[in-house]
């Protein structure tokens, strides 16, 4: 054996050993998509190179042919393993259907069958008697051409798949795909040159030799770039498994792509939605999609028939020149969220109503606590609050008018307490009709009433008091089939003459009331100015 042959055989053995070692590393990561494909490919590469090395190292009339046939099994099986590797690496979620398996495996299985049966019809090796050297296979029979074309088509399909995956990858993942491409294309490029134009070096097939590069490249990709360790999740896998509907439209609003969630929402209305106008595919949403008539970057909610609600986001798809080439519409079913929000809103409105009702009741209770239950006028507590407010207002102009019903005890004795209550109610109704809450109207206690009149001069206050006195005198009060008449005595004091303290004004008005009763009742007395009230005594009448 020549030195060149020994060197070549040593090279082949080393390449096979490196392929076996890398296959062992891939087997340890076999649970990762693509790792089993790399394992199968490297095992075929190792089988090819080691059997070809045995062909070169064997002697005699039989063994060189046997090892050459065995190496050809590796040659026709390797493209299938390359296809399997790239298929698992780039599309792990898509199942391989039986027509695809048939197209990939049929040619290789027939070729292996011809090799095992020594090609009795000469379909693989042609009319050549015996195999001769390895390179005589390049001028083989018609099935050899089929096997070669089939193998290179699988290699080409795998390379295109990897180039596409590389374009869609970034960073470390792009480096991984680039090294996989390098490990595949180097030996098969040499093989293609040898098949098309003959061997580069006489008597030497460079394809098995170049598998040393394949083993080294894949070993670096697995150990150095962490291939099958840090594996990117395919973008289409993410899109397909999204629970949100995703639809891609072109500039003419035709459906270019849609994921499984979108297909479920389309239902069985359209057999194949791709290429159809969006208005036709989603025609059952026509009323709701009216809000999307002007496509552009936007986000909104759509109410669909049947009570469904979608949160829709529309994004423009632009090229490198920022020209809009289409749109991506992503929607999320927010029906339950909408219902929850509606329930929350209804609960909020109910709480608001209850809150307002509580506020109303609080106001009512507060008002009731400040009103006399018999007459409906404010009570003494309310009067004290109003006087306290007047005390803080140093510039206030007001007068206090106090009156009570004359001989009220006689009225109660004659007509009963019911008659007295009716008289008090009629007086209160008279005051409310005349003033309609323009001034402070209070029942001070028993048959006594107090009025605080604001913004009126003393002469006008006296005139108001006189008018009320006459109205009370003219009341026709009926109770229990009887008619009763009453009169009232009035005392009036002004803040200008008896202030500034409201209690002083109230006291002056009270003294004036006693004066009116002492002078014969059913009259109005103005409290004279000056300190005389504190110097003389006025006896309180009965």
């Amino acid at each position: 054996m020549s030195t060149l042959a020994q060197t070549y055989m040593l090279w082949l053995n080393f390449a096979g050993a490196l392929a076996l070692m890398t296959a062992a590393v891939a087997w340890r990561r076999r649970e990762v998509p693509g790792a089993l494909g790399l394992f199968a490919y490297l095992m075929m590469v190792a089988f090819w190179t080691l059997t070809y090395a045995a062909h070169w190292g064997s002697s005699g009339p039989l063994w060189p042919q046997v090892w050459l046939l065995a190496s050809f099994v590796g040659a026709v099986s390797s493209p299938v393993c390359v296809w399997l590797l790239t298929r698992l690496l780039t599309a792990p979620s898509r199942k391989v259907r039986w027509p695809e398996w048939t197209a990939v495996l049929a040619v290789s299985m027939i070729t292996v069958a011809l090799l095992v049966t020594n090609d009795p019809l000469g379909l693989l090796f042609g009319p050549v008697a015996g195999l001769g050297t390895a390179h005589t296979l390049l001028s083989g029979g018609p099935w050899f051409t089929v096997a070669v074309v089939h193998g290179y088509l699988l290699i080409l399909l795998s390379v295109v798949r990897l180039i596409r995956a590389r374009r869609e990858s970034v960073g470390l993942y792009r480096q991984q795909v680039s090294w996989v491409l390098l490990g595949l294309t180097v030996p098969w490029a040499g093989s293609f040159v040898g098949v098309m134009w003959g061997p580069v070096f006489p008597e030497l097939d460079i394809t098995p030799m170049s598998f040393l590069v394949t083993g080294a490249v894949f070993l670096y990709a697995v150990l150095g770039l962490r291939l099958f360790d840090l594996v990117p999740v395919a973008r289409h896998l993410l899109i397909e498994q999204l629970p949100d509907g995703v639809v891609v439209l072109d500039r003419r609003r035709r459906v270019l792509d849609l994921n499984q969630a979108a297909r479920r929402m389309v239902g069985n209305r359209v057999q194949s939605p791709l290429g159809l106008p969006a208005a036709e595919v989603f025609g059952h949403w026509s009323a709701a999609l009216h809000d999307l008539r002007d496509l552009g970057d936007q986000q909104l909610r759509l109410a669909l028939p049947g009570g469904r609600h979608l949160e829709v986001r529309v994004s423009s798809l632009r090229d490198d020149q920022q020209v809009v080439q289409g749109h991506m519409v992503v929607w999320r079913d927010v029906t339950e969220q909408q219902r929850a929000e509606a329930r929350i809103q209804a609960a909020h409105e109910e709480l608001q109503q209850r809150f307002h009702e509580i506020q109303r009741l609080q106001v009512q209770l507060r008002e009731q606590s400040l009103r006399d239950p018999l007459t409906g006028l404010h009570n003494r507590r309310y009067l004290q609050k109003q006087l306290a407010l007047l005390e803080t207002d140093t510039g206030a102009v007001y007068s206090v008018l106090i009156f009570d019903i004359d001989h009220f005890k006689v009225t109660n004795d004659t007509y009963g307490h019911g008659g007295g209550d009716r008289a008090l109610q009629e007086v209160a109704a008279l005051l409310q009709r005349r003033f309609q809450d323009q001034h402070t109207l209070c029942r001070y206690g028993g048959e006594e009433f107090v009025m605080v009149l604001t913004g009126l001069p003393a002469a006008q206050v006296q005139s108001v008091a006189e008018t009320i006195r006459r109205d009370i005198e003219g009341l026709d009060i009926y109770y229990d089939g009887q008619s009763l008449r009453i009169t009232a005595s009035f005392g009036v004091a002004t803040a200008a003459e008896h202030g500034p303290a409201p209690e002083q004004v109230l006291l002056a008005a009270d003294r004036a009331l006693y004066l009116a009763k002492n002078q014969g009742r059913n009259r109005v007395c103005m409290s004279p100015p000056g300190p005389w009230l504190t110097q003389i005594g006025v006896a309180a009448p009965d």
Side-chain angles (χ1 to χ4, degrees):
M1 183 182 295
S2 65
T3 304
L4 178 61
Q6 291 178 351
T7 303
Y8 183 61
M9 188 172 60
L10 180 63
W11 184 289
L12 292 175
N13 286 323
F14 184 63
L18 184 59
L20 285 174
M21 182 175 64
T22 308
V25 176
W27 176 256
R28 295 177 59 184
R29 294 165 170 79
R30 58 187 178 276
E31 71 280 357
V32 180
L36 281 177
L38 179 61
F39 170 78
Y41 174 58
L42 292 175
M43 290 299 293
M44 284 296 101
V45 166
F47 182 80
W48 186 354
T49 54
L50 293 176
T51 54
Y52 197 55
H55 161 73
W56 274 80
S58 61
S59 59
L62 178 62
W63 284 108
Q65 293 184 359
V66 172
W67 289 117
L68 187 59
L69 281 173
S71 68
F72 198 74
V73 172
V76 298
S77 301
S78 294
V80 176
C81 294
V82 170
W83 173 85
L84 180 63
L85 166 62
T86 57
R87 178 69 168 74
L88 294 177
L89 192 62
T90 59
S93 63
R94 190 167 65 87
K95 295 182 179 180
V96 182
R97 311 246 178 224
W98 68 265
E100 193 174 2
W101 277 120
T102 302
V104 171
L105 295 176
V107 174
S108 299
M109 293 175 65
I110 293 174
T111 304
V112 172
L114 292 175
L115 288 172
V116 172
T117 59
N118 201 22
D119 188 21
L121 300 178
L123 297 176
L124 184 61
F125 305 124
V128 178
L131 290 176
T133 64
H135 301 295
T136 60
L137 297 177
L138 302 179
S139 57
W143 189 256
F144 179 82
T145 303
V146 173
V148 168
V149 172
H150 177 261
Y152 285 122
L153 282 177
L154 291 179
I155 297 296
L156 179 61
L157 177 63
S158 301
V159 169
V160 170
R161 191 189 299 273
L162 287 173
I163 291 175
R164 184 182 302 168
R166 183 184 183 277
R167 186 172 62 248
E168 296 176 352
S169 303
V170 294
L172 176 64
Y173 305 128
R174 175 171 289 186
Q175 295 182 42
Q176 292 177 352
V177 177
S178 299
W179 281 83
V180 172
L181 266 172
L182 178 64
L184 293 179
T185 54
V186 168
W188 291 103
S191 173
F192 182 76
V193 171
V195 170
M196 296 300 296
W197 294 285
V200 179
F201 302 103
E203 303 298 327
L204 298 178
D205 188 354
I206 65 170
T207 302
M209 293 174 58
S210 61
F211 284 131
L212 181 63
V213 176
T214 297
V217 166
F218 278 112
L219 187 62
Y220 171 73
V222 172
L223 298 180
L225 298 178
R226 304 175 71 180
L227 182 65
F228 308 127
D229 186 8
L230 294 176
V231 182
V233 178
R235 189 175 303 174
H236 74 277
L237 186 63
L238 291 174
I239 298 299
E240 283 299 319
Q241 294 187 0
L242 274 177
D244 302 339
V246 180
V247 176
V248 179
L249 307 176
D250 64 6
R251 287 186 295 182
R252 297 172 60 183
R253 301 191 182 186
R254 295 176 300 185
V255 176
L256 296 181
D257 195 8
L258 69 169
N259 67 350
Q260 291 294 334
R263 289 187 179 93
R264 286 194 296 270
M265 298 199 73
V266 172
N268 298 324
R269 296 181 63 260
V270 181
Q271 187 68 24
S272 178
L274 299 183
L276 297 179
E280 179 178 343
V281 175
F282 302 100
H284 55 309
W285 298 351
S286 56
L289 292 179
H290 181 71
D291 293 334
L292 289 176
R293 58 190 181 279
D294 297 325
L295 284 179
D297 296 342
Q298 57 180 307
Q299 183 174 351
L300 70 159
R301 282 195 177 185
L302 299 181
L304 302 183
R308 301 184 67 180
H309 294 267
L310 300 182
E311 186 176 80
V312 183
R313 182 187 297 273
V314 182
S315 302
S316 300
L317 303 178
R318 303 176 185 272
D319 57 17
D320 295 339
Q321 285 73 38
Q322 298 302 309
V323 177
V324 176
Q325 299 296 331
H327 294 86
M328 181 172 67
V329 183
V330 181
W331 66 76
R332 174 175 300 174
D333 193 328
V334 293
T335 303
E336 290 303 320
Q337 178 182 342
Q338 186 77 14
R339 290 172 180 171
E341 290 177 357
R343 290 193 294 268
I344 293 174
Q345 181 64 26
H348 175 71
E349 293 177 356
E350 184 179 355
L351 287 176
Q352 286 285 80
Q353 291 177 356
R354 292 184 178 181
F355 175 73
H356 292 316
E357 180 65 16
I358 291 173
Q359 283 187 320
R360 186 187 66 80
L361 291 175
Q362 287 177 338
V363 171
Q364 183 177 349
L365 289 173
R366 187 165 53 249
E367 184 68 17
Q368 287 176 354
S369 69
L370 298 176
R371 286 193 180 273
D372 172 53
L374 178 63
T375 63
L377 299 180
H378 287 109
N379 55 21
R380 180 178 295 200
R381 181 181 176 188
Y382 179 81
L383 175 64
Q384 291 172 347
K385 288 187 176 183
Q386 294 302 109
L387 294 178
L389 292 176
L390 290 173
E391 189 170 9
T392 61
D393 187 0
T394 56
V397 177
Y398 66 93
S399 301
V400 175
L401 186 153
I402 299 179
F403 70 93
D404 66 3
I405 299 176
D406 297 328
H407 304 297
F408 188 70
K409 185 176 182 303
V410 175
T411 302
N412 276 334
D413 292 342
T414 304
Y415 301 99
H417 289 286
D421 290 345
R422 175 62 61 83
L424 295 175
Q425 292 171 342
E426 290 292 337
V427 171
L430 169 66
L431 296 177
Q432 289 173 330
R433 286 195 304 270
R434 176 170 291 279
F435 297 104
Q436 297 181 349
D437 292 335
Q438 295 177 4
H439 303 288
T440 301
L441 309 175
C442 299
R443 181 186 177 191
Y444 200 57
E447 71 275 19
E448 195 169 23
F449 296 84
V450 174
M451 299 176 58
V452 179
L453 309 178
T454 57
L456 298 178
Q460 190 173 351
V461 171
Q462 184 175 5
S463 175
V464 169
E466 185 63 33
T467 300
I468 297 173
R469 185 197 65 78
R470 288 196 302 268
D471 289 343
I472 292 175
E473 186 179 18
L475 281 175
D476 290 327
I477 302 173
Y478 295 94
Y479 175 75
D480 196 19
Q482 302 180 72
S483 175
L484 61 98
R485 305 184 73 86
I486 58 174
T487 61
S489 301
F490 290 75
V492 180
T494 62
E497 296 176 349
H498 303 286
E503 289 296 335
Q504 294 177 351
V505 182
L506 182 63
L507 178 60
D510 191 49
R511 296 289 184 175
L513 171 62
Y514 290 158
L515 185 61
K517 286 187 174 290
N518 287 332
Q519 292 181 359
R521 295 183 173 86
N522 193 22
R523 67 188 64 241
V524 176
C525 284
M526 294 290 297
S527 178
W532 67 276
L533 291 174
T534 61
Q535 297 174 358
I536 64 174
V538 179
D542 295 334

